[in-house]
Amino acid sequence: MSEPIVCQNIRVSGVVQGVGFRPFVWRLARELGLVGWVRNDSRGVEIEVRGAAAQVQSLVDRLEQDAPPLARVNSVTARDTAPARIGKDFVIIDSRSGRAATMIGHDTAVCRECLTEMFDPGSARWRYAFTNCTNCGPRYTISRGLPYDRVRTSLKPFAMCHRCQCEYRRPEDRRFHAEANCCPKCGPQMFLLDGEGHRLPDDPISTALTLLLQGKILAIKGLGGFHLACDARNAVAVALLRERKQRDEKPFVVMLANAASAAPLVQIGVGEPGLMALPTRPAILLRKRGSCDEALPGVAPGLAWLGVMLPYTPVQFLLFHEAAKRPAGVGWLERSQDLALVMTSANPGGEPLVIGNGEALLRLYGIADAFLMHDRDIVTRCDDSVARITTGGLQFIRRARGYTPRAIKLPVSGPSVLAVGAWFKNTVCVTRGDEAFVSQHIGDLDNAAVCDFLEESVAQLLKLLGVEPAIVAHDLHPDFHSTRFAADFAMQRRLPLLGIQHHHAHAAAVLAEHGMQGANLALSLDGVGLGTDGAAWGGELLRVDGARFERLGHLSPLALPGGDRAANEPWRMAAAVLHQLGRNSEIGERFVGQQAAPAVAQMLAGDIHCPLTTSMGRIFDAAAGLLGIRSVMAYEGQAAMFMEGLAQCYGDILPLDQGWRIERGRLDLLPLLAALADEKSAERGAALFHATLAAAIADWVRVLAPDEKTVVGSGGCFLNQVFVRGLRARLGAQGIKLVEARQVPPNDGGLSVGQAWIALQHLLGR
């Protein structure tokens, strides 16, 4: 008896456009002897198929099991349908527009197959800077809308030549329906301009490398924006870049050819080369070797870690290929190479990343000596992602290129929500159904251009997702631009507005990504966030239950002499500790180099302009100030990062006996800080601080929540790996699991996810 013939309509949702999904379906259907069609639409991928029931079921099963490497399949649904539109073959048909229910894929590094073509002298794409295929290259940063087709990308002006058209139409080719397909004959072109905007002759890659090795600063157009680049081994060039960009001490990321090139500079553990070479290519913080600072003078001063990034665009690979003397083949990709390039975001003055050619010539004038450009537009600005390696994989410091707009799966579905983040490290988040879409890193909302970028990012996300929010969530602080924008946005659309406490949102972000519902214990440790009582919070033990939370405990308050200024001057926090210890008279003498020291002592004595804070970040600053590690910070978190590095180098130490007190839910770290005030060794003091802090927090959790077996860790302090490693071990010894952020940063870069999750549960009445 012959097997029954069935006809089915199949829908696939998720990241299934721009990732080679239609060609994959075509090949699979042909293999299974099925007829029908596949197309993109605004909801994802739609398939109609006819064939033997077992073969159709095999197709449905394998759509998720064998999906292309860049695809993320959320669901596959099939229903019986009439065979009216099905012909005698299986074909790819034109896309159909409509209300969006899918999402564009993220940008990825150029793949090995494309590199093989680029470095084959006999290939039509020999050294071509825009080589890509369905498995690699730009997606999000070139897309103007859905469905993902060439006409909705910045490749629209570049009509494919006959050869590229043949690749695009040939099912067995890896460029089958590759929307960004191009070659030197029909695609975008590189060119090099001098600092005045005049085109330079000769090969742009060769000339660019020569300029870099001469100590010049180049603006290089990438996937999501321009980089400013210089020779990382040239101390004069690095210092000049710092001067021109007005970035005195903040560390730079260094681009190296491969892990072998990084090995003499940083320590690389087992499995870490694979993380460095992920297709998403984040910059990764790796521990420096002793020779690193001498080899790369001024790149990451005073820090124990170096940010390392491997090439991900064809242009970047071409620079390293040129430095290697243009070898044929790809064998050189594995060999160590001396070339090391500073690759820092071209965002002068903390403004958004430069993306346009004209914009680059204007905004980077006087900073860049030359401009390595091309004529393919960047549609969406998207900075590099930054991460560090922890137990369990990568932890984001900044989530952007390679990960945006990848969705975070939520444990429940509901109406769409817009959440607009806070002030620092701003991101925005939009939910659709049971998915949360986080924007790329927007930045600190301290200038008009970044504020405009926030509003632009909201409009873009809502357009791409095809949703209208049912509610708008924001931070409680009334003076943040994000809060004011949320109020205006909601008023114009007559939407409800929901203010969410900062640390509640931090905890909720981790709960959301791990799908944790119900009541959960959470630590929220960061620099500052406005509390429900109007005070500056930042060292909180919370019980979070849906849209509600309870403050179980907090750090004992410490004065902020001078208010917000104390957040940038650790010596002021150290002075507050001395005052609290009854040692106010020592402040002027101890901080003799600080002109304001006598006045600060008087302010503390008279309780004048000294608001209280429970911030853990300010405790780190106080410790650094007491140990003489850093009196004034050149950038946010510098003192804590220096102290973490010193603790890492010192090694293990036992916590201070009786180094803390717990009274009425408050964790008092004054005994520890008193010991640091008299500690002579900054290295030993840093190690003692981290070890005692981990023990104190674990004890605090045990005392206030003795029956808990899980605690969430959130807030920027959870980027400190020395502290977190100690805390994880201490809690583990008590039978408590520490749940940490993985899909978004624990700092304010992940805050919008928490806001969105709370607002969604508020709408659902939870």
Side-chain angles (χ1 to χ4, degrees):
M1 184 176 177
S2 61
E3 190 172 351
I5 301 297
V6 298
C7 297
Q8 288 200 332
N9 178 275
I10 304 166
R11 284 214 155 270
V12 188
S13 69
V15 179
V16 289
Q17 294 191 16
V19 294
F21 206 88
R22 288 173 299 169
F24 156 70
V25 174
W26 183 91
R27 286 189 287 270
L28 190 55
R30 286 293 191 92
E31 176 191 327
L32 295 170
L34 303 172
V35 297
W37 51 262
V38 59
R39 69 179 171 195
N40 281 344
D41 66 12
S42 56
R43 296 166 60 189
V45 167
E46 183 181 15
I47 305 162
E48 286 211 358
V49 64
R50 183 178 70 223
Q55 301 301 84
V56 171
Q57 186 58 49
S58 180
L59 173 75
V60 172
D61 294 340
R62 292 174 63 184
L63 287 173
E64 184 168 3
Q65 295 168 6
D66 301 339
L70 298 184
R72 294 188 72 190
V73 175
N74 289 343
S75 67
V76 179
T77 58
R79 61 178 178 81
D80 292 335
T81 188
R85 293 182 293 171
I86 297 177
K88 297 179 180 180
D89 202 349
F90 195 91
V91 295
I92 296 176
I93 64 174
D94 290 342
S95 301
R96 185 173 67 176
S97 299
R99 185 179 177 86
T102 186
M103 194 43 159
I104 295 164
H106 53 273
D107 297 346
T108 57
V110 59
C111 69
R112 188 75 173 193
E113 290 83 358
C114 285
L115 289 172
T116 300
E117 281 184 277
M118 284 174 57
F119 303 125
D120 176 3
S123 166
R125 291 185 174 86
W126 161 249
R127 292 177 57 78
Y128 182 54
F130 304 91
T131 304
N132 71 90
C133 69
T134 54
N135 298 322
C136 70
R139 299 289 189 277
Y140 183 60
T141 54
I142 63 169
S143 298
R144 301 188 192 278
L146 287 168
Y148 178 75
D149 289 314
R150 192 181 185 93
V151 295
R152 296 180 187 87
T153 74
S154 56
L155 270 295
K156 180 183 178 181
F158 303 94
M160 280 187 272
C161 64
H162 176 72
R163 181 190 182 101
C164 287
Q165 282 279 7
C166 289
E167 292 173 329
Y168 183 86
R169 292 171 178 166
R170 190 164 55 241
E172 62 272 18
D173 199 291
R174 77 175 194 283
R175 294 193 172 93
F176 185 42
H177 280 257
E179 302 301 342
N181 189 28
C182 57
C183 74
K185 184 177 179 180
C186 63
Q189 301 295 321
M190 296 295 306
F191 50 91
L192 185 67
L193 307 181
D194 66 15
E196 298 296 326
H198 303 125
R199 191 173 291 227
L200 295 173
D202 303 322
D203 180 77
I205 295 294
S206 175
T207 308
L209 181 66
T210 299
L211 291 172
L212 286 166
L213 295 178
Q214 289 174 352
K216 303 299 185 184
I217 296 166
L218 262 65
I220 301 176
K221 191 174 184 179
L223 283 184
F226 279 77
H227 286 105
L228 288 169
C230 74
D231 181 358
R233 298 184 187 275
N234 186 328
V236 175
V238 173
L240 185 62
L241 178 55
R242 287 198 177 280
E243 179 185 335
R244 291 182 181 177
K245 199 184 176 189
Q246 299 179 16
R247 183 176 172 134
D248 293 340
E249 298 181 46
K250 199 171 183 180
F252 287 133
V253 166
V254 172
M255 180 169 283
L256 297 161
N258 46 40
S261 304
L265 302 169
V266 292
Q267 299 177 26
I268 302 176
V270 175
E272 292 181 358
L275 294 175
M276 296 169 68
L278 285 170
T280 49
R281 285 294 199 285
I284 296 180
L285 298 192
L286 297 168
R287 191 174 173 188
K288 290 178 180 175
R289 292 191 183 277
S291 59
C292 183
D293 286 338
E294 184 178 351
L296 307 176
V299 169
L303 296 174
W305 291 268
L306 176 71
V308 175
M309 184 164 61
L310 303 189
Y312 57 88
T313 70
V315 173
Q316 294 161 358
F317 274 103
L318 287 171
L319 289 169
F320 285 94
H321 185 244
E322 187 73 26
K325 310 301 183 188
R326 299 194 182 189
V330 292
W332 69 275
L333 290 169
E334 314 304 330
R335 293 193 288 269
S336 180
Q337 191 176 133
D338 283 341
L339 183 63
L341 298 175
V342 166
M343 281 283 183
T344 186
S345 303
N347 58 338
E351 294 188 347
L353 195 60
V354 172
I355 60 172
N357 292 352
E359 179 191 4
L361 292 171
L362 180 66
R363 291 179 57 196
L364 302 179
Y365 181 80
I367 299 176
D369 296 306
F371 298 82
L372 185 57
M373 292 181 167
H374 56 75
D375 53 358
R376 185 184 74 197
D377 288 345
I378 298 170
V379 176
T380 302
R381 68 185 89 237
C382 196
D383 221 325
D384 293 317
S385 294
V386 182
R388 65 190 312 169
I389 299 171
T390 69
T391 302
L394 292 180
Q395 182 180 54
F396 288 110
I397 297 168
R398 181 171 74 200
R399 184 185 188 268
R401 179 195 47 77
Y403 297 92
T404 303
R406 186 183 291 182
I408 295 169
K409 193 77 170 175
L410 301 174
V412 297
S413 183
S416 288
V417 168
L418 167 63
V420 297
W423 179 275
F424 292 112
K425 302 176 182 63
N426 183 271
T427 61
V428 298
C429 179
V430 175
T431 67
R432 185 182 64 190
D434 61 353
E435 294 179 308
F437 295 86
V438 191
S439 74
Q440 65 273 48
H441 169 79
I442 292 171
D444 298 345
L445 302 180
D446 55 7
N447 63 68
V450 178
C451 294
D452 289 345
F453 183 27
L454 179 151
E455 299 180 20
E456 171 190 318
S457 299
V458 168
Q460 183 198 36
L461 262 183
L462 292 174
K463 176 186 173 185
L464 285 176
L465 293 170
V467 298
E468 287 292 333
I471 193 170
V472 184
H474 62 87
D475 192 87
L476 286 183
H477 203 297
D479 296 332
F480 289 173
H481 174 78
S482 53
T483 301
R484 294 194 294 267
F485 166 75
D488 290 344
F489 185 95
M491 181 179 68
Q492 290 169 14
R493 290 161 179 79
R494 298 183 179 180
L495 296 173
L497 194 62
L498 184 64
I500 294 173
Q501 201 281 320
H502 192 88
H503 302 95
H504 183 196
H506 267 314
V510 184
L511 293 171
E513 70 157 281
H514 288 281
M516 297 170 65
Q517 300 188 72
N520 289 278
L521 190 67
L523 287 161
S524 192
L525 311 175
D526 70 351
V528 67
L530 187 67
T532 53
D533 59 359
W537 291 9
E540 314 302 317
L541 184 59
L542 310 175
R543 187 173 302 284
V544 177
D545 188 358
R548 301 174 300 280
F549 79 97
E550 177 187 1
R551 193 186 192 196
L552 300 181
H554 56 80
L555 298 185
S556 289
L558 187 63
L560 281 166
D564 289 344
R565 190 165 181 179
N568 298 314
E569 300 182 10
W571 75 269
R572 288 176 180 260
M573 296 310 304
V577 170
L578 292 174
H579 173 76
Q580 199 162 333
L581 290 169
R583 298 164 62 173
N584 184 287
S585 60
E586 298 177 25
I587 293 172
E589 182 180 344
R590 185 159 187 151
F591 303 109
V592 67
Q594 302 298 327
Q595 207 170 18
V600 165
Q602 291 180 358
M603 288 165 59
L604 287 162
D607 192 19
I608 301 167
H609 196 29
C610 291
L612 297 178
T613 182
T614 60
S615 164
M616 179 61 80
R618 301 294 77 79
I619 295 292
F620 273 87
D621 291 345
L626 290 168
L627 292 169
I629 292 170
R630 192 79 196 188
S631 294
V632 178
M633 292 190 289
Y635 54 88
E636 184 197 6
Q638 184 182 27
M641 291 164 68
F642 277 25
M643 190 162 61
E644 180 188 6
L646 292 174
Q648 177 80 38
C649 293
Y650 187 88
D652 294 337
I653 190 173
L654 290 173
L656 179 68
D657 187 36
Q658 297 183 341
W660 65 91
R661 295 185 289 260
I662 300 171
E663 298 175 357
R664 299 189 305 279
R666 293 184 175 188
L667 175 61
D668 185 0
L669 296 167
L670 200 61
L672 168 60
L673 297 171
L676 298 185
D678 299 319
E679 176 59 56
K680 303 302 181 188
S681 166
E683 292 81 1
R684 183 183 182 280
L688 183 66
F689 173 78
H690 284 83
T692 307
L693 182 62
I697 296 289
D699 192 36
W700 191 34
V701 170
R702 178 190 61 82
V703 170
L704 269 63
D707 299 325
E708 289 290 341
K709 297 301 178 187
T710 302
V711 62
V712 162
S714 64
C717 293
F718 278 87
L719 286 170
N720 184 311
Q721 289 304 297
V722 175
F723 162 61
V724 173
R725 192 164 55 239
L727 178 60
R728 192 186 299 118
R730 291 272 173 181
L731 289 171
Q734 297 172 193
I736 301 173
K737 179 184 178 183
L738 179 64
V739 179
E740 303 169 65
R742 282 289 176 265
Q743 296 188 61
V744 291
N747 59 29
D748 284 7
L751 198 77
S752 62
V753 178
Q755 292 175 339
W757 177 231
I758 292 166
L760 179 58
Q761 294 189 94
H762 172 80
L763 287 175
L764 297 174
R766 299 186 177 186

